[in-house]
Amino acid sequence: MLNVHVVFACLAFVAGAINFASAKFRKYRKLHRILGYVYIVAVLVVCLTSGYMAPFATGGKVVSIAFNLLNIFWIFITVSAYFQIRQGRIENHRRWMIRSYAFCFTNQMIHTLMLLFIGVLGMSYEVGYTTSVVGSIVFLFLAAEWIIRRLQVGGEPVPFQ
C-alpha cells in the first residue's frame, strides 16, 4: 500500500508542477486538462491509501486523525478546484489549485520539521513526528493562503480579509 501511495504522490507532484509551469505553454490546453485529470486521480489514490495506512502511523490516534482530516480536506479542495474550472471561474480554479498543490509537499514538510523538532530541539521521535505532522498541515495551509494573497494571482494581489 505504501508503494502505491508513494507512486501516486509522485505522480500528483509532477502533474501539478507541469500544470503550474504551463503558463509558458498556454497553447497546450489539452495537455493541461489531461494532466489535471491525472492530478485528480492521483490525489484521490494518495488520500485513499493514506486513509488505509493512517491507523498504523507513528504517533497513534492524533496522527491518524490528522492524516484522515487532511485526506478529507485535500479531496474537498481538489474537487472544488475542478468544479471552479468547469464553471469557467479560472481565477478561483487557480486559487483552489494552489491550496491543493500545497499538500503535495506534506511529506517533505514533515521531514523538515522533524529535523527541527527532533534534531535541534531534542524531542522524542514519537512526539517530534506527531508535532511535525500536525505542524505540516497547518503550515502548508497557511503557506497556500499566503501565496494566494501575496503573489499576484490573476494580476492583482488579494488583500487579507
Side-chain angles (χ1 to χ4, degrees):
M1 194 61 61
L2 179 61
N3 291 336
V4 173
H5 180 79
V6 170
V7 167
F8 279 87
C10 291
L11 191 58
F13 189 84
V14 170
I18 293 169
N19 270 350
F20 273 111
S22 69
K24 296 178 181 178
F25 308 109
R26 295 223 187 261
K27 61 183 175 182
Y28 301 111
R29 293 181 66 178
K30 186 172 184 174
L31 176 63
H32 182 86
R33 183 176 291 143
I34 290 168
L35 287 173
Y37 285 118
V38 167
Y39 178 83
I40 291 170
V41 170
V43 167
L44 292 175
V45 172
V46 167
C47 289
L48 290 173
T49 56
S50 175
Y52 177 82
M53 295 184 299
F56 310 105
T58 301
K61 287 188 180 198
V62 172
V63 172
S64 180
I65 290 168
F67 278 136
N68 283 316
L69 288 173
L70 172 59
N71 294 336
I72 293 165
F73 191 58
W74 197 8
I75 290 171
F76 171 79
I77 289 170
T78 305
V79 169
S80 295
Y82 171 77
F83 283 120
Q84 290 300 316
I85 199 61
R86 295 296 295 171
Q87 295 171 354
R89 299 177 183 151
I90 296 169
E91 294 309 316
N92 288 341
H93 169 72
R94 286 183 184 144
R95 290 180 183 109
W96 283 107
M97 282 308 303
I98 289 169
R99 291 178 182 111
S100 178
Y101 191 65
F103 291 112
C104 284
F105 294 90
T106 302
N107 189 53
Q108 292 91 331
M109 184 55 59
I110 289 169
H111 289 283
T112 301
L113 290 179
M114 283 177 62
L115 283 173
L116 172 67
F117 295 140
I118 297 169
V120 176
L121 299 178
M123 291 181 176
S124 70
Y125 182 83
E126 188 170 322
V127 172
Y129 183 75
T130 302
T131 307
S132 296
V133 169
V134 174
S136 294
I137 294 167
V138 171
F139 176 82
L140 291 170
F141 174 78
L142 293 174
E145 293 303 315
W146 183 83
I147 289 168
I148 289 167
R149 285 167 172 77
R150 291 296 178 207
L151 295 181
Q152 293 188 347
V153 177
E156 303 225 359
V158 180
F160 281 107
Q161 296 176 349

